């Protein structure tokens, strides 16, 4: 036997081939493979399972936390201080480095598990034909060319080209997003057909809900549709969030500035001010420690963690911490339809009868709802034909609905049939009582080639046939229709086709319901009884309706300047209709996956930006749309629940998975999971995300002037040839204890007014805008002037160096305390009750820091460690005076900016409009 090669099994468009052609290309027959041939092919293709992804060890993930330019500078500072024999300073700096690494390691959380989740979707066993004998084998041993049997309840074990089927329906929602199971067929389809339209294929991991079939294996493991999605996931590199990118850029910029300053100051001190090299090493270490915001990683992490807690209380579970802030920067939300924007519960919304079309309210499988005509409510009890139509809908039906103890109504059976049972309950029927009173005598089950179902009952002492099915087929079987007076009149096919077009244009799926009362001696029910002579009762329009709260959330997102796009595998008309009801797409026709295939990259970016509803899309299409939007500088959130959503969820800036009905693959590929599967929760999460970003920016605006002031004090001291006013260890105390404690209070700030009425921040906008840079410089200069001024005053009045340094540190900290109040609002004034007392955590932080500073100043152990000295009481008044001046100066600066912005807005309003 020749050595096996991969070319033994060709890669074909199997859905476009006749069944016999597929068997020939696979070198197989309807009798299946021999065991020897199956073994040979197993050697070629390997087991029918997905390969596990490579993983980083815990040690590698921990070491990666040190890969940061600011950390490199701190490591260098620790080494230099150790070489100079200052082991206490060196140990404190090293402790800061290790604490930051631990925080980062914890923050990273669980490793990516999306591919493992997809692997679990594969079937465990399969029924195949080997050596002409039907047998059950482990699904991992399936090979291309195997003949596989399917029946209701089976998980499809590999990708199959169907050879024969009987009433086969498969739930493909995880792959296509379809609201209802797909009816399968054997005939070839167009080669360009989308995944959802390849009705002669059964895909690995999907669930058979009805019927039986036989198919030939055309793909296993990585060659299946699920395998392709797994491969796409493996190739997608997780994006770094905008915040982390900006912090990394800020770190590089700050490192360059620090290194430049230290070199310059070292040269100035040695060459101009005659300091020794050792003295300048110590000064430069102090400068580096002063300029680096060591507490920033901790502040950002805790601010994000608080955001996670607040989101969890609103049913948004964050899996990766930085995603909290990214939510606040989102400019586009790409949402799946089924189960996210809609309820994933089929509902009858329209009942068309002769000369009358009813609207039906209520959603889901609960019986609450009413009937109306042109907005006028009607009583179902006064419409005999509506009562008979809804009775027929229950009796010609195999679904049931149960009411749980908690009041929820659960469907057991086909979603479309469940919608009909619900319709009958809304009309006043008790479905169980109806079935008990009129049990089915005989049944013609639904078959795809006949496209209808019929049941025989005894109603009002005479045999009665009820029938439901595809409208086109049922119309062929009807010669009369029931009018409003209960009379059967000749059927007008033109009228009913108009009704069908009108209901279908709203994206609703159609079913027709008919009745026939045969002669008492008709006997058992057979096809010839229903070929003709039926009376059409009416047609129903069924749709998976939008969630009301999701519709309101879409409006909220639009108000916040966020575009909402629907990207679904469902049909175009359905997607267009749902989008129109929810205010998505402005009524424009959906763009289909086939349309996207014909676009070049530039045109794809244009369409991705201009259109809001996309239908009949594959996983590749979703991924391309997300990537196209990101290339247009959009920050994209992607929602989804199926395996087909996983690649796009992973590629998006924020992947949002459904917690209740979502697959594990979708959850593991996402940054956030909605515990209630509700799109409205995303709007709440965006509000929290914007608040988190505001609070991080406020924390930066608060922390950086402290670093700037400490670095400025050292620079001024060197330039003047003076002893350093603060030591490196005192600087670490201010940075890691007082500044961080105060900054954390800002993490508890509530959303500012109008946070969801402003546009998303520009993705290209740096975290430190020119205004923030000015504010940092302005406050830093005032802190330098105040701290250095009091330090110099103490020294000129014969105060000791230790006392002067104690005064300088306390001046910086007291300035921070007053500036913390300024920082609660970037522009708004805080000289009011809300501004001073509105955040109790600010008051708590101030109280804690005052106690810590008293210990820093007067406690002997801390005096020994930090080289501080008891400070006279009257010095506190001078320090508070300086801090109060800084507070008032910042409030005056805010007033200037508010007036400037108001003047600019007034000038824009007075401009003539074209």
């Amino acid at each position: 036997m020749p050595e096996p090669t991969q070319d033994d099994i060709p890669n074909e468009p199997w859905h476009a081939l006749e069944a016999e052609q597929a068997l020939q290309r696979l070198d197989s027959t309807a009798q299946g493979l021999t065991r020897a041939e199956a073994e040979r092919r197993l050697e070629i293709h390997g087991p029918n399972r997905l390969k596990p992804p490579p993983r980083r060890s815990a040690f590698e993930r921990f070491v990666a936390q040190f890969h940061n330019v600011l950390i490199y500078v701190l490591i260098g500072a620790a080494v230099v201080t150790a070489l100079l024999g200052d082991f206490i300073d060196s140990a404190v700096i090293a402790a800061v480095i290790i604490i930051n690494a631990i925080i980062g390691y914890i923050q990273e959380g669980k490793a990516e598990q999306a591919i493992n989740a997809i692997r679990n979707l594969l079937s465990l066993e399969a029924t195949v034909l080997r050596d002409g004998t039907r047998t059950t084998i482990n699904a991992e041993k399936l090979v291309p060319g195997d003949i596989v049997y399917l029946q209701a309840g089976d998980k499809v074990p590999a990708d199959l080209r169907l050879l024969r089927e009987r009433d086969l329906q498969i739930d493909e929602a995880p792959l296509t997003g379809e609201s209802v199971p797909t009816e399968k067929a054997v005939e070839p389809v167009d080669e360009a057909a989308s995944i959802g339209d390849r009705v002669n294929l059964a895909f690995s991991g999907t669930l058979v809900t009805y019927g039986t079939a036989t198919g030939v294996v055309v793909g296993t493991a990585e060659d299946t549709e699920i395998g392709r999605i797994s491969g796409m996931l493996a190739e997608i590199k997780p994006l770094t969030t905008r915040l982390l990118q900006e912090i990394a850029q800020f770190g590089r910029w700050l490192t360059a500035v620090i290194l430049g300053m230290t070199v310059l100051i070292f040269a100035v001190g040695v060459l101009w001010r005659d300091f020794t090299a050792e003295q300048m090493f110590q000064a430069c270490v102090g400068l580096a420690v002063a300029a680096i915001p060591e507490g920033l990683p901790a502040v950002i992490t805790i601010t994000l963690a608080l955001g996670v807690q607040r989101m969890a209380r609103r049913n948004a579970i964050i899996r990766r911490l930085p995603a909290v802030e990214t939510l606040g920067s989102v400019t586009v939300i790409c949402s799946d339809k089924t189960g996210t924007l809609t309820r994933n519960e089929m509902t009858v919304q329209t009942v068309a009868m002769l000369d009358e079309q009813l609207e039906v309210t209520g959603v889901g499988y609960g019986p609450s709802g009413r009937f109306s005509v042109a907005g006028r409510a009607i009583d179902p009890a006064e419409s005999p034909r509506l009562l008979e139509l809804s009775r027929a809908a229950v009796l010609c039906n195999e679904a049931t609905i149960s009411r749980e103890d908690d009041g929820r109504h659960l469907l057991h059976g086909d979603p479309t049939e469940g919608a009909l049972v619900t319709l009958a309950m809304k009309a006043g029927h008790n479905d169980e009582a109806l079935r008990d009173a009129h049990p089915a005598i005989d049944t013609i089950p639904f078959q795809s080639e006949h496209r209808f179902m019929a049941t025989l009952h005894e109603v009002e002492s005479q045999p009665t046939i009820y029938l439901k099915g595809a409208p086109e087929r049922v119309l062929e079987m009807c010669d009369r229709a029931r009018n409003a007076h209960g009379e059967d009149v000749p059927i007008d096919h033109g009228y009913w086709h108009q009704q069908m077009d009108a209901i279908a244009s709203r994206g609703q799926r159609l079913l027709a319901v008919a009745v026939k009362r045969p002669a008492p001696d008709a006997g058992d029910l057979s096809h010839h009884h229903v070929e003709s002579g039926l009376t059409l009762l009416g047609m129903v329009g069924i749709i998976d309706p939008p969630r009301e709260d999701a519709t309101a959330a879409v409006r909220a997102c639009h108000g916040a300047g966020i575009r909402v796009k629907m990207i679904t595998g469902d049909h175009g008309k359905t997607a267009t209709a749902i989008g129109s009801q929810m205010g998505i797409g402005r009524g424009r026709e959906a763009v289909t996956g086939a349309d996207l295939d014909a676009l070049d990259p530039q045109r794809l970016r244009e369409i991705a930006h201009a259109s809001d509803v996309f239908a009949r899309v594959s996983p590749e299409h979703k991924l391309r749309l997300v990537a196209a939007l990101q290339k247009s500088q959009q920050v994209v959130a992607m929602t989804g629940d199926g395996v087909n959503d996983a690649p796009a969820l992973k590629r998006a800036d924020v992947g949002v998975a459904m917690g209740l009905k979502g697959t594990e693959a979708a959850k593991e590929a996402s940054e956030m999971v909605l515990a209630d599967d509700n799109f409205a929760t995303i709007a709440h999460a965006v509000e929290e995300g914007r608040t988190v970003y505001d609070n991080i920016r406020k924390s930066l605006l608060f922390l950086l002037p402290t670093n700037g002031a400490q670095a400025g004090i050292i620079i001024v001291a060197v330039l003047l040839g003076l002893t350093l006013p603060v030591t490196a260890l005192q600087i670490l105390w201010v940075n890691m204890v007082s500044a961080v404690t105060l900054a954390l209070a800002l993490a508890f700030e509530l959303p500012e007014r109008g946070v969801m009425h402003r546009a998303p921040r520009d993705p290209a906008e740096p975290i430190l805008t020119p205004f923030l840079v000015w504010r940092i410089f302005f406050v830093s200069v005032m802190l330098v002037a105040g701290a250095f001024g009091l330090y110099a005053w103490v020294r000129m009045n014969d105060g000791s160096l230790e006392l002067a340094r104690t005064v300088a540190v306390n001046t910086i900290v007291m300035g921070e305390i007053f500036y913390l109040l300024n920082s609660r609002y970037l522009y708004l004034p805080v000289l009011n009750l809300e501004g001073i007392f509105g955040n109790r955590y600010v008051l708590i932080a101030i109280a804690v820091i005052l106690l810590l500073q008293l210990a820093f100043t007067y406690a002997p152990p801390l005096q020994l460690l930090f080289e501080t000295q008891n400070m006279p009481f009257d010095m506190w008044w001078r320090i508070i005076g300086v801090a109060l001046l800084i507070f008032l100066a910042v409030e005056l600066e805010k007033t200037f900016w508010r007036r400037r912005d108001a003047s600019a807005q007034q000038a824009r309003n007075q401009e003539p409009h074209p």
Side-chain angles (χ1 to χ4, degrees):
M1 180 181 292
E3 285 296 314
T5 65
Q6 189 70 33
D7 294 335
D8 284 351
I9 306 300
N11 185 18
E12 298 279 359
W14 302 107
H15 55 282
L17 301 179
E18 294 284 353
E20 286 301 322
Q21 285 181 293
L23 284 171
Q24 291 173 9
R25 301 286 176 89
L26 290 162
D27 195 19
S28 184
T29 69
Q31 299 303 309
L33 302 175
T34 65
R35 296 183 188 278
E37 176 63 13
E39 290 294 333
R40 189 185 79 86
R41 296 190 184 194
L42 186 62
E43 187 179 345
I44 297 171
H45 297 279
N48 179 32
R49 62 171 181 260
L50 301 180
K51 297 175 182 175
R55 298 289 186 208
R56 284 193 307 167
S57 68
F59 176 75
E60 289 173 325
R61 289 194 294 120
F62 182 71
V63 170
Q65 306 307 318
F66 296 92
H67 184 52
N68 180 297
V69 287
L70 288 177
I71 296 297
Y72 296 156
V73 174
L74 284 177
I75 291 173
V79 170
V80 170
T81 51
L83 292 175
L84 294 174
D86 194 347
F87 297 110
I88 294 178
D89 285 10
S90 181
V92 172
I93 296 172
V96 168
I97 295 169
I98 293 171
I99 290 170
N100 280 333
I102 292 172
I103 290 172
Y105 177 80
I106 295 172
Q107 173 182 317
E108 189 170 304
K110 293 197 314 180
E112 180 59 67
Q113 295 178 358
I115 298 177
N116 274 343
I118 291 180
R119 292 170 68 209
N120 293 334
L121 290 172
L122 298 181
S123 178
L124 300 178
E125 292 186 338
T127 303
V128 300
L129 203 59
R130 292 271 176 91
D131 287 327
T133 302
R134 188 165 175 163
T135 183
T136 299
I137 65 170
N138 189 309
E140 290 189 0
K141 295 182 179 179
L142 282 177
V143 295
D146 263 327
I147 304 298
V148 174
Y149 296 92
L150 298 176
Q151 62 182 4
D154 285 350
K155 186 179 282 187
V156 180
D159 280 5
L160 309 177
R161 170 61 168 92
L162 298 177
L163 304 176
R164 291 178 296 279
E165 63 86 24
R166 183 175 178 81
D167 309 326
L168 183 67
Q169 295 182 20
I170 298 181
D171 180 5
E172 296 182 341
L175 281 178
T176 66
E178 289 254 23
S179 308
V180 295
T182 303
E183 294 180 11
K184 292 296 184 176
V186 174
E187 293 74 23
V189 296
D190 187 80
E191 185 173 337
S194 66
I195 295 295
D197 293 325
R198 296 177 186 178
V199 293
N200 54 20
L201 297 183
F203 297 105
S204 178
T206 58
L207 183 67
V208 179
T209 60
Y210 195 84
T212 60
T214 305
V216 59
V217 175
V218 296
T220 60
E222 276 78 14
D223 293 328
T224 62
E225 187 64 24
I226 283 181
R228 287 194 320 101
I229 294 173
S230 174
M232 291 164 60
L233 274 172
E235 293 171 3
I236 298 170
K237 303 297 183 187
L239 296 178
T240 302
T241 69
R242 300 297 172 111
L243 176 66
L244 295 183
Q245 291 173 355
E246 291 172 359
I247 293 296
Q249 179 62 35
F250 167 72
R252 289 189 290 271
W253 171 81
L254 184 60
T255 300
V257 170
I258 291 171
L259 292 176
M261 282 196 310
T262 52
V263 170
L264 180 62
I265 291 301
F266 184 87
V268 168
V270 172
L271 300 177
W272 183 30
R273 287 300 182 184
D274 297 326
F275 286 106
T276 65
E278 182 175 339
Q279 288 175 320
M280 287 313 303
F281 266 124
Q282 291 177 332
C284 287
V285 167
L287 178 60
V289 171
I292 294 175
E294 293 92 348
L296 183 59
V299 169
I300 290 177
T301 300
I302 294 171
T303 304
L304 293 173
L306 289 171
V308 167
Q309 292 178 5
R310 288 195 295 265
M311 288 183 183
R313 288 195 289 269
R314 304 180 81 168
N315 293 315
I317 311 302
I318 300 298
R319 298 184 64 251
R320 295 180 180 88
L321 208 54
V324 178
E325 179 276 328
T326 309
L327 274 165
S329 308
V330 163
T331 60
V332 176
I333 299 176
C334 297
S335 178
D336 186 32
K337 177 184 73 67
T338 305
T340 309
L341 295 173
T342 63
R343 297 174 60 90
N344 200 17
E345 295 175 334
M346 300 302 289
T347 304
V348 174
Q349 289 194 332
T350 306
V351 178
M353 298 185 293
L354 187 59
D355 299 325
E356 193 173 54
Q357 190 175 111
L358 309 182
E359 297 174 0
V360 188
T361 63
V363 294
Y365 299 120
S368 59
R370 63 186 183 91
F371 297 83
S372 62
V373 178
R376 176 179 57 84
I378 67 166
D379 184 355
E382 297 176 0
S383 176
R385 60 177 175 168
L386 174 59
L387 289 176
E388 183 160 20
L389 182 150
S390 54
R391 178 171 61 194
V394 170
L395 296 179
C396 187
N397 198 315
E398 294 181 340
T400 61
I401 293 175
S402 64
R403 189 177 190 275
E404 301 299 294
D405 292 337
D406 59 3
R408 292 181 302 128
H409 290 79
L410 295 184
L411 167 69
H412 307 279
D414 180 78
T416 300
E417 292 198 326
L420 295 176
V421 175
T422 303
L423 174 72
M425 291 192 293
K426 290 176 182 177
H429 288 298
N430 182 310
D431 58 316
E432 292 183 3
L434 270 179
R435 285 176 168 135
D436 290 341
H438 310 291
I441 299 168
D442 201 0
T443 300
I444 299 176
F446 177 87
Q447 292 180 323
S448 55
E449 62 264 33
H450 298 130
R451 301 167 66 203
F452 68 82
M453 174 185 178
T455 53
L456 175 63
H457 306 265
E458 178 137 345
V459 180
E460 297 173 358
S461 301
Q462 61 177 319
T464 301
I465 297 172
Y466 288 127
L467 180 144
K468 74 175 190 301
E472 302 87 349
R473 180 71 181 100
V474 176
L475 282 176
E476 295 172 359
M477 305 158 75
C478 294
D479 53 22
R480 306 184 74 77
R482 184 76 47 85
N483 67 15
H485 304 293
E487 303 167 342
D488 294 347
V489 299
I491 195 163
D492 180 355
H493 286 270
Y495 168 81
W496 289 106
H497 280 289
Q498 288 177 358
Q499 294 294 307
M500 290 163 56
D501 291 342
I503 297 172
S505 69
R506 298 196 286 271
Q508 297 175 17
R509 301 170 188 268
L510 283 156
L511 272 180
V513 182
V515 63
K516 183 177 183 180
R517 297 187 185 272
D521 60 353
D524 294 338
L525 185 61
S526 61
H527 281 272
H528 76 270
H529 287 122
V530 295
E531 285 301 324
S532 61
L534 276 79
T535 298
L536 183 65
L537 295 174
M539 296 180 182
V540 297
I542 306 173
I543 199 168
D544 180 15
R547 306 172 72 123
E548 293 179 3
D549 44 7
T551 303
V554 169
R555 288 196 299 269
C557 289
H558 288 163
I562 300 170
R563 292 277 294 275
V564 179
K565 297 179 184 290
M566 180 194 298
I567 305 178
T568 177
D570 214 337
H571 292 279
K573 282 189 176 180
T574 304
T576 301
I578 293 294
S580 181
Q581 291 180 44
M582 302 191 73
I584 302 173
R586 300 180 294 279
R588 295 173 58 182
E589 286 293 318
V591 178
T592 66
D595 298 331
L596 296 176
D597 286 333
L599 302 177
D600 59 52
Q602 177 58 36
R603 184 63 180 149
L604 176 65
R605 285 198 292 273
E606 294 171 2
I607 293 295
H609 178 75
S611 301
D612 289 338
V613 180
F614 301 87
R616 244 19 189 175
V617 294
S618 68
E620 290 93 340
H621 293 137
K622 293 185 178 186
L623 191 58
R624 288 179 63 203
L625 285 169
V626 170
L629 288 167
Q630 289 172 330
K631 287 180 181 176
S632 300
Q633 302 306 308
Q634 302 297 318
V635 180
V636 182
M638 173 76 193
T639 76
D641 57 2
V643 178
N644 59 329
D645 299 316
L649 288 171
K650 186 175 178 181
R651 173 59 194 256
D653 296 280
V654 183
V656 183
M658 303 300 108
L660 295 177
K661 298 178 181 176
T663 62
E664 286 303 310
K667 293 174 189 176
E668 295 298 336
S670 66
E671 282 75 31
M672 184 172 86
V673 177
L674 302 184
D676 56 0
D677 283 14
N678 193 341
F679 183 87
T681 303
I682 300 174
H684 300 320
V686 168
E687 180 182 13
E688 288 292 351
R690 290 187 173 188
T691 302
V692 165
Y693 181 78
D694 284 350
N695 292 347
I696 287 175
R697 195 162 65 154
K698 290 173 185 176
S699 297
L700 269 173
L701 193 62
F702 171 76
L703 283 173
L704 294 183
T706 303
N707 298 102
Q710 293 172 133
I713 288 171
I714 292 174
I715 291 171
V716 170
V718 171
L719 292 177
L720 296 179
L722 302 175
T723 305
L724 296 183
V726 287
T727 67
L729 204 55
Q730 290 170 345
I731 288 169
L732 279 174
W733 166 269
V734 174
N735 285 357
M736 291 299 295
V737 179
S738 64
V740 170
T741 303
L742 293 171
L744 285 178
L746 296 173
F748 293 91
E749 288 291 335
L750 297 176
E752 291 190 7
R753 293 189 300 273
V755 69
M756 287 298 284
H757 295 286
R758 68 190 190 205
R761 69 185 181 92
D762 184 352
E765 178 186 275
I767 194 167
L768 291 181
T769 61
F771 164 73
L772 296 185
V773 172
W774 151 254
R775 172 71 64 78
I776 291 166
F777 173 77
F778 177 61
V779 177
S780 296
V781 169
M782 288 192 294
L783 283 172
V784 168
F788 199 88
L790 287 179
Y791 167 83
W793 184 84
V794 171
R795 294 294 285 160
M796 286 188 294
N797 285 275
D798 299 325
S800 67
L801 177 62
E802 289 76 11
L803 175 62
R805 283 176 168 172
T806 304
V807 169
V809 170
N810 278 301
T811 303
I812 294 172
V813 172
M814 192 60 68
E816 286 178 332
I817 288 173
F818 278 83
Y819 179 55
L820 177 66
L821 297 173
N822 295 124
S823 300
R824 290 197 59 214
Y825 306 125
L826 296 182
Y827 294 99
L828 297 178
V830 295
L831 283 170
N832 51 63
L833 288 176
E834 171 62 27
I836 302 297
F837 300 105
N839 184 344
R840 62 190 176 96
Y841 295 100
V842 166
L843 302 178
I844 293 171
I846 290 173
V848 169
I849 288 305
L850 288 175
L851 291 175
L852 288 173
Q853 282 305 120
L854 288 174
F856 173 85
T857 305
Y858 299 108
L862 294 182
Q863 287 180 336
L864 181 64
L865 178 63
F866 291 103
E867 298 178 354
T868 58
Q869 185 176 315
N870 290 346
M871 198 170 67
F873 182 78
D874 64 333
M875 184 57 69
W876 285 107
W877 291 114
R878 293 183 177 86
I879 292 172
I880 291 172
V882 169
L884 182 60
L885 286 175
I886 294 172
F887 172 82
L888 295 175
V890 173
E891 288 301 299
L892 284 173
E893 183 241 12
K894 286 184 185 180
T895 302
F896 167 78
W897 287 110
R898 288 198 305 276
R899 289 179 177 174
R900 178 177 176 273
D901 290 346
S903 299
Q905 183 62 47
Q906 185 178 9
R908 284 194 294 270
N909 293 338
Q910 292 174 351
E911 290 179 358
H913 296 284

